[in-house]
Amino acid sequence: KAGVTQTPRYLIKTRGQQVTLSCSPISGHRSVSWYQQTPGQGLQFLFEYFSETQRNKGNFPGRFSGRQFSNSRSEMNVSTLELGDSALYLCASSLESTGDTLELFFGEGSRLTVL
Amino acid sequence: DAKTTQPNSMESNEEEPVHLPCNHSTISGTDYIHWYRQLPSQGPEYVIHGLTSNVNNRMASLAIAEDRKSSTLILHRATLRDAAVYYCILAGGYQKVTFGTGTKLQVIP
């Protein structure tokens, strides 16, 4: 069974540009969530999608957006990049996201560097 | 959001048991307690979860206080491969999952 796949693994952008990251969940998983990981802030929740609907959103500015397609694949977009957006972006999928069934499977992440 | 508090770092000798504590005094009755760990250069991986009773699996044990305001992840025999950041999180209903900064476990050979 294939795991969670994130692309690209590494990318370098400059301030003001935008970036799109992709996540393919484990087959059959309908919930996809995104996290930002930085050395100082740890793992911070960005948003969660289930069946193409955003169900939860973290405390990030509107420059961070996402979507989920009918095949459960998800993308996140960051517009007008800032230096502080440099981070590892992790995607996780799960069958559901309720308390007992929440078993998150993470991808290896997309490491974004903003120059 | 329900919050958890963990020590920033802990050390253990190899092949000794490790007890990783987590405080969650604002836990609600429907929150499950989950533990994940993140090995270097990898995404986090699921370890164990529970609601009220203590739980065991092949990776670890989870001891939950009677009032549920704290829990302890127990690694019975730490190995060098257990060196990781361990996260205690609460999950109940359809809510955003907050990981926090976790406990960095160092295993000494």
Side-chain angles (χ1 to χ4, degrees), chain B residues 2-61:
Chain B
K3 297 270 192 264
T4 61
T5 304
Q6 300 176 253
N8 287 333
S9 62
M10 291 185 64
E11 280 186 1
S12 173
N13 293 320
E14 195 176 10
E15 298 194 1
E16 289 188 355
V18 182
H19 291 232
L20 298 164
C22 181
N23 288 320
H24 28 77
S25 58
T26 59
I27 190 170
S28 74
T30 55
D31 282 339
Y32 281 77
I33 302 156
H34 290 248
W35 283 81
Y36 282 77
R37 71 179 187 180
Q38 187 172 20
L39 303 172
S41 302
Q42 295 186 25
E45 64 175 353
Y46 168 82
V47 178
I48 199 168
H49 78 283
L51 183 62
T52 56
S53 305
N54 295 343
V55 184
N56 300 296
N57 67 19
R58 63 175 180 80
M59 290 181 70
S61 296

